[in-house]
Amino acid sequence: MRPPVASGQPDTPPRPTSPTASPLRLTPEQRARNLPLAQELLALTKLPTICERKMMSVLLKEIRTTPEMRGYTDIFRNFFQQHVSASLMSEEMARYLVENFTEHEMLQLKAIVDTSAGQKMFSTLENLPDVERLNDANYLQLFDEEETRQYKVFSRLPAFQKFSDCVPTLIDLGGEVTTKRVNAHLPDLMDDLRRRMQEQPPLN
């Protein structure tokens, strides 16, 4: 939930056209060297964990809307906790970053995340700095005066612009990992449900 708009707050600074991410031409050695840096950047942003929490919330919400499944929420919760993994999302996201961001760009992004404004931007799904939010004047309501100054500097950095363009793609990658994992292990879930239903039939 975004904070309410207050009068007298500064407007969002004009944002130059964002460069789009395009795959880099890397040697296997460069990929291997940059992968730990990408993983470290993701750990600092907490993006995989944010994505994991969101996926879990959506999946469990869907279960609760099905009356006959409400008595088995614990089975679904255990299943999702086992198979919806931030670490697996991080692996996929890191590979994407390595293919699309240079070492220098990732180091710049790490420096941004280490600031007060950067930490606030990566605190929740609703605060993530994607293009739509960065073009919304309400977004600046998140920051105090010093953080607003930091943000205005970040908004002009090509690496930050490019990363904000890629945030939805990174979230989508997390969703794809979740879908593949859930589908791959559905037989296990069905077995657990059948066993529970035999022991404890659903209430009519």
Side-chain angles (χ1 to χ4, degrees):
M1 185 76 65
R2 293 189 188 124
V5 179
S7 60
Q9 290 290 338
D11 293 329
T12 304
R15 189 160 180 257
T17 302
S18 298
T20 55
S22 56
L24 305 173
R25 294 182 178 180
L26 301 173
T27 65
E29 291 76 14
Q30 287 173 315
R31 288 189 180 91
R33 185 180 69 243
N34 288 349
L35 189 59
L37 177 58
Q39 291 170 331
E40 186 178 354
L41 172 60
L42 288 168
L44 289 172
T45 64
K46 301 181 179 68
L47 189 55
T49 300
I50 291 172
C51 194
E52 177 192 38
R53 289 172 182 165
K54 179 62 177 177
M55 299 299 170
M56 287 277 291
S57 174
V58 169
L59 291 168
L60 289 172
K61 184 177 180 179
E62 289 181 2
I63 297 304
R64 294 189 188 104
T65 61
T66 308
E68 61 269 26
M69 290 291 101
R70 289 175 187 165
Y72 309 109
T73 303
D74 60 320
I75 290 178
F76 286 101
R77 185 184 298 278
N78 291 338
F79 176 80
F80 295 147
Q81 287 176 342
Q82 184 176 357
H83 298 295
V84 179
S85 167
S87 62
L88 291 174
M89 293 181 195
S90 181
E91 290 175 13
E92 194 68 26
M93 292 176 183
R95 283 193 287 269
Y96 176 85
L97 291 178
V98 166
E99 294 297 330
N100 292 280
F101 288 80
T102 65
E103 180 180 9
H104 178 68
E105 287 172 331
M106 286 191 282
L107 288 171
Q108 279 190 312
L109 292 168
K110 278 184 60 181
I112 289 171
V113 177
D114 198 37
T115 65
S116 177
Q119 290 172 20
K120 193 168 288 186
M121 282 189 282
F122 292 97
S123 59
T124 66
L125 183 74
E126 292 73 20
N127 290 359
L128 291 177
D130 64 24
V131 174
E132 182 179 353
R133 292 192 183 101
L134 296 184
N135 286 326
D136 184 349
N138 291 358
Y139 195 67
L140 281 175
Q141 304 295 316
L142 292 172
F143 310 121
D144 63 24
E145 185 176 352
E146 174 58 29
E147 290 165 347
T148 298
R149 283 196 289 268
Q150 294 172 352
Y151 163 77
K152 288 182 177 180
V153 172
F154 304 156
S155 67
R156 291 178 170 85
L157 294 175
F160 182 73
Q161 295 168 17
K162 189 164 84 169
F163 186 77
S164 68
D165 286 343
C166 294
V167 164
T169 299
L170 292 168
I171 297 294
D172 286 345
L173 286 173
E176 289 174 12
V177 170
T178 297
T179 300
K180 289 177 183 176
R181 289 278 294 174
V182 168
N183 288 341
H185 294 276
L186 271 179
D188 297 334
L189 174 62
M190 299 309 297
D191 287 344
D192 289 342
L193 284 172
R194 276 192 290 268
R195 280 193 293 270
R196 174 67 69 82
M197 287 177 179
Q198 289 172 356
E199 297 168 0
Q200 179 185 330
L203 298 175
N204 295 325

